[in-house]
Amino acid sequence: MKTIYKQCETLFRAFTAFVYERKYAALILMLLSTAGLASQLGKLTIDTRDESLFHANDPALIAYNDFKDRFGQDEIFIVALQPAQGLDKDFFATLRRLHQELENTVPYIDEITSLANARVVRSDADTLSIEELFENPPQTDEEAARIRGLIDHYPLYENFLVSRDRSTVPIIIKALAVKDGQPEDVLAGFEQEHVEGENNTDRYLSNAESMEITEAIQGVIGKYQDPGLKIFFSGTPAVIAALNTDIKRDMALLLPLTLLMMIFFLALLYRRLSGVIYPLLIVMLSLLSTFGFMALLDIPITMFSQILPAFLLVVGIADTVHILTIFYRNFNRCGDKKQAVVDAVGLAGLPVLMTSVTTSCGLLSFVWADIAAVAQLGWTAPVGVLIAFIYTVILLPALIAIFPVRRRRSGIVAVNSRTDALFSRTASITTAHPVTITAVFGLIALISLYGVSKLHFSHDGISWFPKNAPIRIATERLDAVLGGTTVLEVLIDSGRENGLHDPDFLRRLDLAVAQVGKFEVAGIRAGKVWALPDVLKETNRALHADQGKAYIVPETRALIAQELMLFESSGNDDLKDFADSAYQTARFSVLAPCDDAVLYAEFMEKIKEYLNEQFPDASVTMTGKIPLLVQIIDNSVTTMTKSYTISLVIITLLMIVLVGRVRIGLMSMAANVIPILCVLGMMGMNNIPLDLMTMMVGSLVLGIVVDDTIHLLHHF
């Protein structure tokens, strides 16, 4: 093994001498490479949608896209108004103006629903007509009172278009499911013709287009802010847009902050301008190249890759520091720049390469993640680490060769002597008391394992925002007042065309609407449940002189078919939101609060179990945002298990190969694993959950801490 080390050192020395002699060519090569990759940065996007967390062939994503193709978008933007004076004529006038301005201004909109255009079903003899609650705002208090009476007459409005206590009036904005210009799925709804698994995600609105909708809505509602009218803006896509904005702001803050801290410590360490500029220049160029590589492969920035800049800065700086430290010592001693840098790279090049390889392999474990955005990080992070290594061994010697370096004969030697003495003293103590030291760290590991046992998984996107964030305030407020801001969708397939004309099926569906609305599991309770029977009951009542006792599902199949036909012939297309065109599959919608996805697993299971009992001959499928979030938790567990296991196995094998001894290679993993246990144990004891972000801590820590172990063992 010693011979191999010597051969590697010889290669690094020869390569460095080659670069030193061709310094300008090396500099130009690196700058051109950076410019080429950086030219792609304009294509770089940010994607924080939940769909970005799934692989294209994931069954949950395929089912969700299938639902959107058949029934349209399930995600809703909610603009909720709280008038100080209640539902008076002035408020109705404001609501109408705001509704119309949103309708005329916001792009990519499928439909906007509020009390301003709420459905009112009327009949004249055998003719059914569908009207809006009020086409023009009421001019008198009497007209306003009449509208309030109509609101009370339609149970479907409650906790959807108006809160139960009448304090809050939402405007529900639904975006297009499929982009304009994309071909319509004319066979949607005919199960025998539908090809499940077709998943062309380019057909759907992108994260950028959803952001455009959000900004347009915010621009409109900003005009209506008034002391007498509180406006809350929420909904799943609004939360995602807020997360998108926060990622941009955090990256704009964290990158300069990281650079400032590095400038401070580099200046403190080297007390030279070159000792600050060279490392920063190298890591910044490698960072630009890495993000250019992402843009080239159309890999977006996600909630995971936002940590990439800080991570790569740390790794890249470490590479240059190891070589620069030895170079300055050599140069201060001999005064020959070329010899000093050749000796420095010769001595430190191999361990720096080893650390880059082990870090890359540890991060490569993410490639097999069940979360797509993590798998993408498994490609981009290792590439970034290797780019940083390449820039270090080529650009650093070229910069040293081109620019002057001042030799120091005193001062820094004293500092180095003191730090060397400190570490020597530490090593003397630890090697003199090996059993005690091992026992102490063994105890730390046991305590940490206790903390690890208290870890729990979580996926609560709202908790990621500060408590005073407008999106969090709005979401929590609307969850409290309306009972929810996100939707669970259930498809109940009767198995036959016109199966939804069966009165027994519809009565059971009507009962399910009432019963599911009463379910409460782990503090989760539906704010609103609705389905096809709600429309039928409105129609049946209208056709029976608006008598309250007629607010029921019609008793015969023929009557159900007739009333549905009358509703369709009225010119209103609301039925598409409740059933497919063949009347085979019913859509069952549940509005629920935006809460920890972990809590929803049992809630969903209870609903599905009940619906399977109610419809033993039908097929019950759950989809929508809530099932996606629950699936993300399952994928997180498998991702963490895979990445930790693969990282440990790969790095253990690499340590054995690099050290050349099985026993020392295995022992070295104790120093690599205990820091991970400490961090995870601290999280468990402080009730910090494992979520989409923190679950990666172990693999990232392992990728960094192994660098220290490799440098120590290489020199040992």
Side-chain angles (χ1 to χ4, degrees), residues 28-72:
I28 292 171
L29 175 65
M30 290 291 96
L31 292 179
L32 288 176
S33 300
T34 305
L37 288 170
S39 66
Q40 303 296 314
L41 289 175
K43 302 177 183 177
L44 195 61
T45 59
I46 297 179
D47 193 353
T48 53
R49 297 173 302 157
D50 294 317
E51 293 93 315
S52 70
L53 304 179
F54 291 88
H55 293 287
N57 61 350
D58 193 296
L61 182 61
I62 292 172
Y64 181 60
N65 287 337
D66 173 51
F67 170 85
K68 289 195 293 185
D69 285 336
R70 299 167 68 188
F71 290 97

Coordinates of all heavy atoms in Angstrom, one line a residue, residues 28-72:
I28 N -6.9 29.7 -18.6 CA -7.8 30.0 -19.7 C -8.8 28.8 -19.8 O -10.0 28.9 -20.0 CB -7.1 30.2 -21.0 CG1 -6.4 31.6 -20.9 CG2 -8.1 30.2 -22.2 CD1 -5.4 31.8 -22.1
L29 N -8.3 27.6 -19.7 CA -9.1 26.4 -19.8 C -10.2 26.3 -18.7 O -11.4 26.1 -19.0 CB -8.2 25.1 -19.7 CG -9.0 23.8 -19.6 CD1 -9.7 23.5 -20.9 CD2 -8.0 22.6 -19.3
M30 N -9.8 26.7 -17.5 CA -10.7 26.7 -16.4 C -11.8 27.8 -16.5 O -13.0 27.5 -16.3 CB -10.0 26.9 -15.0 CG -9.1 25.7 -14.6 SD -10.1 24.2 -14.1 CE -10.1 23.3 -15.7
L31 N -11.3 28.9 -17.0 CA -12.3 30.1 -17.2 C -13.3 29.8 -18.3 O -14.5 30.1 -18.2 CB -11.5 31.4 -17.4 CG -10.7 31.9 -16.2 CD1 -10.0 33.2 -16.7 CD2 -11.6 32.2 -15.0
L32 N -12.8 29.2 -19.4 CA -13.7 28.8 -20.5 C -14.7 27.7 -20.1 O -15.8 27.8 -20.5 CB -12.8 28.4 -21.7 CG -12.1 29.5 -22.5 CD1 -11.2 28.9 -23.6 CD2 -13.0 30.5 -23.0
S33 N -14.2 26.8 -19.3 CA -15.1 25.7 -18.9 C -16.2 26.3 -18.0 O -17.4 25.9 -18.1 CB -14.3 24.6 -18.1 OG -13.3 24.1 -18.9
T34 N -15.8 27.2 -17.1 CA -16.8 27.8 -16.2 C -17.8 28.6 -17.0 O -19.0 28.6 -16.8 CB -16.1 28.7 -15.2 OG1 -15.1 27.9 -14.5 CG2 -17.1 29.3 -14.2
A35 N -17.3 29.4 -18.0 CA -18.1 30.3 -18.8 C -19.1 29.4 -19.6 O -20.3 29.8 -19.7 CB -17.3 31.1 -19.7
G36 N -18.6 28.3 -20.1 CA -19.5 27.4 -20.9 C -20.7 26.9 -20.1 O -21.8 26.9 -20.5
L37 N -20.4 26.4 -18.9 CA -21.4 25.9 -18.0 C -22.3 27.0 -17.4 O -23.5 26.9 -17.3 CB -20.8 25.1 -16.9 CG -20.2 23.7 -17.3 CD1 -19.5 23.1 -16.2 CD2 -21.3 22.8 -17.8
A38 N -21.6 28.1 -17.1 CA -22.4 29.2 -16.5 C -23.4 29.9 -17.5 O -24.4 30.5 -17.1 CB -21.4 30.3 -16.0
S39 N -23.1 29.7 -18.8 CA -24.0 30.3 -19.8 C -25.4 29.6 -19.8 O -26.3 30.1 -20.3 CB -23.4 30.1 -21.2 OG -23.3 28.8 -21.5
Q40 N -25.5 28.5 -19.1 CA -26.7 27.7 -19.0 C -27.6 28.2 -17.8 O -28.7 27.7 -17.7 CB -26.5 26.2 -18.9 CG -25.6 25.6 -20.0 CD -26.3 25.7 -21.4 OE1 -27.5 25.4 -21.5 NE2 -25.6 26.2 -22.4
L41 N -27.0 29.1 -17.0 CA -27.7 29.4 -15.7 C -29.1 30.0 -16.0 O -30.0 29.9 -15.1 CB -26.9 30.3 -14.9 CG -25.6 29.7 -14.3 CD1 -24.8 30.7 -13.5 CD2 -26.0 28.6 -13.3
G42 N -29.3 30.7 -17.1 CA -30.6 31.3 -17.4 C -31.7 30.3 -17.5 O -32.9 30.6 -17.4
K43 N -31.3 29.0 -17.7 CA -32.3 27.9 -17.8 C -32.7 27.3 -16.5 O -33.6 26.5 -16.4 CB -31.8 26.8 -18.8 CG -31.5 27.3 -20.2 CD -30.9 26.2 -21.0 CE -30.5 26.6 -22.4 NZ -29.8 25.5 -23.1
L44 N -31.9 27.7 -15.4 CA -32.1 27.1 -14.1 C -33.5 27.5 -13.5 O -33.8 28.7 -13.5 CB -31.0 27.5 -13.2 CG -30.8 26.7 -11.9 CD1 -30.5 25.3 -12.2 CD2 -29.7 27.3 -11.0
T45 N -34.2 26.6 -13.0 CA -35.5 26.9 -12.4 C -35.6 26.4 -11.0 O -34.7 25.7 -10.5 CB -36.6 26.1 -13.2 OG1 -36.4 24.7 -13.2 CG2 -36.7 26.7 -14.7
I46 N -36.7 26.8 -10.3 CA -36.9 26.4 -8.9 C -38.3 25.6 -8.9 O -39.2 26.1 -9.5 CB -37.0 27.5 -7.9 CG1 -35.6 28.2 -7.9 CG2 -37.4 27.1 -6.5 CD1 -35.6 29.4 -6.9
D47 N -38.3 24.5 -8.3 CA -39.5 23.7 -8.3 C -39.7 23.1 -6.9 O -39.0 22.3 -6.4 CB -39.4 22.5 -9.3 CG -40.8 21.8 -9.5 OD1 -41.7 22.2 -8.8 OD2 -40.9 21.0 -10.4
T48 N -40.8 23.7 -6.2 CA -41.1 23.2 -4.9 C -42.4 22.5 -4.8 O -42.9 22.2 -3.7 CB -41.1 24.4 -3.9 OG1 -42.0 25.4 -4.5 CG2 -39.7 25.1 -3.8
R49 N -43.0 22.1 -5.9 CA -44.2 21.4 -5.9 C -44.0 20.0 -5.3 O -43.0 19.4 -5.4 CB -44.7 21.2 -7.4 CG -45.1 22.5 -8.1 CD -45.4 22.2 -9.5 NE -44.3 21.5 -10.2 CZ -44.4 20.8 -11.3 NH1 -45.6 20.6 -11.8 NH2 -43.3 20.2 -11.8
D50 N -45.1 19.5 -4.7 CA -45.0 18.1 -4.2 C -44.8 17.1 -5.2 O -44.2 16.1 -5.0 CB -46.3 17.8 -3.4 CG -46.5 18.7 -2.2 OD1 -45.5 18.9 -1.4 OD2 -47.6 19.2 -1.9
E51 N -45.3 17.4 -6.5 CA -45.1 16.5 -7.6 C -43.7 16.3 -7.9 O -43.3 15.2 -8.4 CB -45.9 17.0 -8.8 CG -47.4 17.0 -8.7 CD -47.9 18.3 -8.2 OE1 -47.4 18.9 -7.3 OE2 -48.9 18.7 -8.8
S52 N -42.8 17.3 -7.6 CA -41.4 17.2 -7.9 C -40.7 16.2 -7.1 O -39.6 15.8 -7.3 CB -40.7 18.6 -7.8 OG -40.6 18.9 -6.4
L53 N -41.4 15.7 -6.0 CA -40.8 14.8 -5.1 C -41.0 13.3 -5.6 O -40.4 12.4 -4.9 CB -41.4 14.9 -3.7 CG -41.2 16.3 -3.1 CD1 -41.9 16.3 -1.7 CD2 -39.8 16.8 -3.0
F54 N -41.7 13.1 -6.6 CA -42.0 11.8 -7.1 C -41.4 11.5 -8.4 O -41.2 12.4 -9.3 CB -43.6 11.6 -7.3 CG -44.3 11.7 -6.0 CD1 -44.8 12.8 -5.5 CD2 -44.6 10.5 -5.3 CE1 -45.5 12.9 -4.3 CE2 -45.3 10.5 -4.1 CZ -45.8 11.7 -3.6
H55 N -40.9 10.3 -8.6 CA -40.4 9.8 -9.9 C -41.6 9.7 -10.8 O -42.7 9.5 -10.4 CB -39.7 8.5 -9.7 CG -38.4 8.5 -8.9 ND1 -37.3 9.1 -9.4 CD2 -38.2 8.1 -7.7 CE1 -36.3 9.0 -8.5 NE2 -36.8 8.4 -7.4
A56 N -41.3 9.9 -12.1 CA -42.3 9.9 -13.1 C -43.2 8.6 -13.2 O -44.3 8.6 -13.5 CB -41.7 10.1 -14.5
N57 N -42.5 7.5 -12.8 CA -43.3 6.2 -12.8 C -43.8 5.8 -11.4 O -44.3 4.7 -11.3 CB -42.3 5.1 -13.3 CG -41.1 4.9 -12.4 OD1 -40.9 5.7 -11.5 ND2 -40.3 3.9 -12.6
D58 N -43.9 6.7 -10.5 CA -44.4 6.4 -9.2 C -46.0 6.3 -9.3 O -46.6 7.1 -9.9 CB -44.1 7.6 -8.2 CG -44.4 7.2 -6.8 OD1 -45.6 6.9 -6.4 OD2 -43.5 7.1 -5.9
P59 N -46.5 5.2 -8.8 CA -48.0 4.9 -8.9 C -48.8 6.1 -8.3 O -49.9 6.4 -8.9 CB -48.2 3.6 -8.2 CG -46.9 2.9 -8.2 CD -45.8 4.0 -8.2
A60 N -48.4 6.7 -7.2 CA -49.1 7.7 -6.6 C -49.2 8.9 -7.5 O -50.3 9.6 -7.7 CB -48.5 8.1 -5.3
L61 N -48.1 9.3 -8.2 CA -48.1 10.4 -9.1 C -48.9 10.1 -10.4 O -49.7 11.0 -10.9 CB -46.7 10.8 -9.5 CG -46.5 12.0 -10.5 CD1 -47.1 13.2 -9.8 CD2 -45.1 12.2 -10.9
I62 N -48.8 8.9 -10.9 CA -49.6 8.5 -12.1 C -51.1 8.6 -11.8 O -51.9 9.1 -12.6 CB -49.2 7.1 -12.5 CG1 -47.8 7.0 -13.0 CG2 -50.2 6.5 -13.6 CD1 -47.2 5.7 -13.3
A63 N -51.5 8.1 -10.6 CA -52.9 8.2 -10.2 C -53.4 9.6 -10.1 O -54.5 10.0 -10.5 CB -53.1 7.4 -8.9
Y64 N -52.5 10.5 -9.5 CA -52.9 11.9 -9.3 C -53.0 12.6 -10.7 O -54.0 13.3 -10.9 CB -51.8 12.5 -8.5 CG -52.0 14.0 -8.2 CD1 -53.2 14.4 -7.5 CD2 -51.1 15.0 -8.6 CE1 -53.4 15.7 -7.3 CE2 -51.4 16.3 -8.3 CZ -52.5 16.7 -7.7 OH -52.7 18.0 -7.4
N65 N -52.1 12.3 -11.6 CA -52.2 12.9 -12.9 C -53.4 12.4 -13.7 O -54.0 13.1 -14.5 CB -50.9 12.7 -13.7 CG -49.7 13.6 -13.2 OD1 -50.0 14.6 -12.6 ND2 -48.5 13.1 -13.4
D66 N -53.7 11.1 -13.5 CA -54.9 10.5 -14.1 C -56.1 11.3 -13.6 O -57.0 11.6 -14.4 CB -54.9 9.0 -13.8 CG -56.2 8.4 -14.2 OD1 -56.5 8.5 -15.4 OD2 -56.9 7.7 -13.4
F67 N -56.2 11.5 -12.3 CA -57.3 12.3 -11.8 C -57.4 13.7 -12.4 O -58.5 14.1 -12.8 CB -57.1 12.4 -10.3 CG -58.1 13.3 -9.6 CD1 -59.4 12.9 -9.2 CD2 -57.8 14.7 -9.4 CE1 -60.3 13.8 -8.7 CE2 -58.7 15.6 -8.8 CZ -59.9 15.1 -8.5
K68 N -56.3 14.4 -12.5 CA -56.3 15.7 -13.1 C -56.8 15.7 -14.6 O -57.5 16.6 -15.0 CB -55.0 16.4 -13.0 CG -54.6 16.8 -11.6 CD -53.4 17.7 -11.5 CE -52.1 17.1 -12.0 NZ -51.0 18.0 -11.8
D69 N -56.4 14.6 -15.3 CA -56.8 14.5 -16.7 C -58.3 14.3 -16.8 O -58.9 14.8 -17.7 CB -56.1 13.3 -17.4 CG -54.6 13.6 -17.7 OD1 -54.3 14.8 -17.8 OD2 -53.8 12.7 -17.8
R70 N -58.9 13.7 -15.8 CA -60.3 13.3 -15.9 C -61.2 14.4 -15.3 O -62.3 14.7 -15.7 CB -60.5 12.0 -15.2 CG -59.8 10.9 -15.9 CD -59.8 9.6 -15.1 NE -61.1 9.0 -15.0 CZ -61.4 8.0 -14.2 NH1 -60.5 7.5 -13.4 NH2 -62.6 7.5 -14.2
F71 N -60.7 15.0 -14.2 CA -61.6 15.9 -13.4 C -61.1 17.3 -13.3 O -61.7 18.2 -12.7 CB -61.9 15.3 -12.0 CG -62.7 14.1 -12.0 CD1 -62.2 12.8 -11.9 CD2 -64.1 14.2 -12.1 CE1 -62.9 11.7 -12.0 CE2 -64.9 13.1 -12.1 CZ -64.3 11.8 -12.0
G72 N -59.9 17.5 -13.7 CA -59.3 18.9 -13.6 C -58.5 19.0 -12.3 O -58.2 18.0 -11.6

